Amino acid sequence: MATRSRKGKKCTVIGGCGFLGRYIVERLLEEGYTVSVFDIAKTFEDDRVKFFVGDLCQEKDLAPAISDVQTVFHCASPPPSSDDRDLFYRVNFVGTKNIISACKKAGVQKLVLTSSASVVYEGTDIKNGTEDLPYAKKPMDYYTETKVLQEKEVLAANSPEENFFTVAIRPHGIFGPRDRQLVPILVDTARAGKTKFMIGNGENLVDFTYVVNVAHGHLLAAEHLHKDSPVCGKAFHITNDEPIPFWTFMSRILEGLNYPSPKMGLPYLLIYYLAAFLQLLCLLLKPIKEIKPTFTPMRVALAGTYHYYSCQRAKQLMGYKPVVPLDEGIKLTVKGYAHLQNNN
Ligand SMILES: NC(=O)C1=CN([C@@H]2O[C@H](COP(=O)(O)OP(=O)(O)OC[C@H]3O[C@@H](n4cnc5c(N)ncnc54)[C@H](OP(=O)(O)O)[C@@H]3O)[C@@H](O)[C@H]2O)C=CC1
Ligand SMILES: CC(C)CCC[C@@H](C)[C@H]1CC[C@H]2C3=C(CC[C@]12C)[C@@]1(C)CCC(=O)[C@@H](C)[C@@H]1CC3
């Protein structure tokens, strides 16, 4: 009993130096867990945390970091803005299979994967989508394609007979202080004068999820992951449960940082096909010059379509509810990015 209870509060966060991962670490520490972090780079100091620096593409690197722990959280991924297909495949698919194998060898009982709500998204409207929607047959980008592969592997690995339980958390549009994708890219886009217009009519509702709520959902999943639990082997949307028009959210952030927000809309399909043409042009020019377009077809689709998800399953089976309301999350985020404020 002592061994199990001692191991019971020990966990490792793979990708724990990243945006979401560090919030999961902080939440675990608040809840009294003994926390280790495995990441390809150490980006912060905390005497309470044991750090292991390594590459999850090398299974041998993982073993020391997950020895004698009960729960592993896997939230590592290359950034979606990367266009390195091989990297996505190696980290998100092969790397995840390494983690499953290493966990089973080490006797880890619980694996909580950070998946993505985009695994069911194909660029068309999704309104209050449930987890029963089929996986995207034509994922819009390679990041999403490898997130689908990753989630399938983790959920299929759920094995009560081996005392190994898995679950996938599907967040959408995570935002908050220390984010490295959403706000920094939005500010760069504004500074380049590319936010004068919105894409579409500005009415499309989207889920943006404050990062502390996503971390909370991960811990709830871990706590409900045990033999005979209905949580095992399932995916769960974790959102703020407050879908908001995409451009209303963007405008709240922009205006909060003293940037002008878009007032006029451009036809969605026109911008989408223009983005698709630009993507093809950049592909053709790549041998000569690498150009990374701001408005990729995926980003245009995200900006111009409805895509929000039901988290009813998480509410019913895990007792989930957001701990930080959307409005408060936006205020905290704007405050956390004062250094990116427009001073012109
Ligand atoms: N941000 C969002 O809106 C959403 C994110 N997600 C998912 O949430 C998870 C976390 O995302 P987020 O926090 O934004 O991402 P971050 O890039 O901030 O964090 C990912 C972490 O994983 C690390 N990592 C990458 N490759 C490896 C590797 N081979 N071995 C070990 N560590 C590695 C990264 O290191 P380094 O930075 O050095 O590469 C980074 O520290 C991801 O799985 C993502 O797919 C899902 C839905 C929405
Ligand atoms: C068009 C805008 C002016 C561009 C600035 C904002 C974008 C950088 C973000 C808006 C929606 C965000 C988003 C993601 C990344 C950053 C944005 C495109 C994800 C693709 C991150 C990874 C995921 O798993 C998806 C669910 C996210 C969807 C929303």
Side-chain angles (χ1 to χ4, degrees):
M1 185 65 184
T3 307
R4 195 176 64 207
S5 61
R6 189 184 68 244
K7 187 174 178 179
K9 294 287 275 189
K10 292 180 75 175
C11 57
T12 297
V13 183
I14 297 175
C17 288
F19 165 48
L20 170 62
R22 190 171 169 187
Y23 279 93
I24 292 175
V25 168
E26 290 166 350
R27 187 79 189 197
L28 287 164
L29 292 169
E30 285 167 13
E31 297 298 316
Y33 284 85
T34 301
V35 184
S36 294
V37 163
F38 178 89
D39 204 299
I40 203 161
K42 181 182 178 186
T43 59
F44 70 96
E45 298 291 340
D46 190 320
D47 296 340
R48 299 167 295 175
V49 176
K50 190 171 183 183
F51 289 92
F52 296 84
V53 177
D55 182 348
L56 63 84
C57 298
Q58 307 297 328
E59 187 177 336
K60 62 176 174 48
D61 287 4
L62 288 162
I66 59 173
S67 166
D68 194 34
V69 305
Q70 183 191 53
T71 305
V72 167
F73 296 87
H74 172 22
C75 56
S77 168
S81 55
S82 160
D83 55 5
D84 186 334
R85 293 167 67 99
D86 179 51
L87 181 67
F88 279 129
Y89 187 81
R90 280 190 289 112
V91 176
N92 285 352
F93 183 54
V94 178
T96 297
K97 291 203 289 183
N98 286 347
I99 290 170
I100 293 167
S101 170
C103 282
K104 289 188 172 182
K105 287 173 186 171
V108 171
Q109 290 173 14
K110 305 181 183 187
L111 175 57
V112 181
L113 168 70
T114 312
S115 178
S116 167
S118 66
V119 297
V120 297
Y121 181 64
E122 293 185 301
T124 55
D125 289 348
I126 295 178
K127 298 181 179 180
N128 206 35
T130 69
E131 291 88 350
D132 298 325
L133 286 172
Y135 287 116
K137 293 182 182 61
K138 295 178 182 173
M140 293 195 72
D141 57 17
Y142 207 61
Y143 160 82
T144 305
E145 188 167 338
T146 53
K147 292 300 282 187
V148 171
L149 293 173
Q150 173 185 69
E151 180 180 297
K152 287 178 176 177
E153 282 299 314
V154 168
L155 296 184
N158 184 62
S159 172
E161 57 278 4
E162 293 177 273
N163 201 34
F164 183 58
F165 308 104
T166 68
V167 66
I169 301 297
R170 294 179 178 175
H172 191 277
I174 310 175
F175 73 98
R178 305 197 304 248
D179 153 45
R180 305 189 285 184
Q181 291 172 49
L182 197 157
V183 173
I185 295 174
L186 177 61
V187 167
D188 286 347
T189 308
R191 286 175 174 172
K194 297 179 184 174
T195 53
K196 292 186 173 65
F197 300 98
M198 66 177 87
I199 297 167
N201 61 17
E203 294 172 4
N204 54 306
L205 294 174
V206 172
D207 274 324
F208 289 99
T209 314
Y210 189 63
V211 60
V212 168
N213 296 326
V214 181
H216 174 56
H218 280 70
L219 268 72
L220 273 182
E223 287 155 13
H224 285 78
L225 203 51
H226 49 73
K227 193 167 179 58
D228 302 326
S229 164
V231 166
C232 299
K234 285 196 179 71
F236 292 85
H237 293 140
I238 293 292
T239 75
N240 249 86
D241 209 18
E242 297 175 78
I244 181 174
F246 181 92
W247 290 100
T248 303
F249 178 86
M250 293 298 151
S251 298
R252 286 283 309 272
I253 302 288
L254 287 169
E255 290 165 11
L257 295 174
N258 199 28
Y259 292 96
S261 58
K263 298 293 180 282
M264 274 183 61
L266 295 174
Y268 168 70
L269 285 176
L270 171 68
I271 303 301
Y272 180 82
Y273 287 111
L274 194 58
F277 172 72
L278 276 174
Q279 188 176 57
L280 180 64
L281 199 60
C282 291
L283 194 62
L284 295 173
L285 291 173
K286 196 168 182 178
I288 304 164
K289 181 174 174 50
E290 181 137 16
I291 303 167
K292 289 189 82 169
T294 302
F295 293 92
T296 62
M298 175 64 156
R299 283 182 184 172
V300 171
L302 290 167
T305 62
Y306 286 78
H307 45 109
Y308 60 96
Y309 303 87
S310 164
C311 47
Q312 198 55 32
R313 178 185 281 184
K315 291 177 185 175
Q316 285 171 346
L317 298 186
M318 299 197 284
Y320 170 74
K321 64 178 181 179
V323 287
V324 179
L326 190 70
D327 184 60
E328 184 183 340
I330 292 172
K331 287 175 182 162
L332 291 168
T333 301
V334 168
K335 194 175 170 190
Y337 279 98
H339 61 289
L340 293 183
Q341 185 134 6
N342 181 15
N343 297 315
N344 295 335

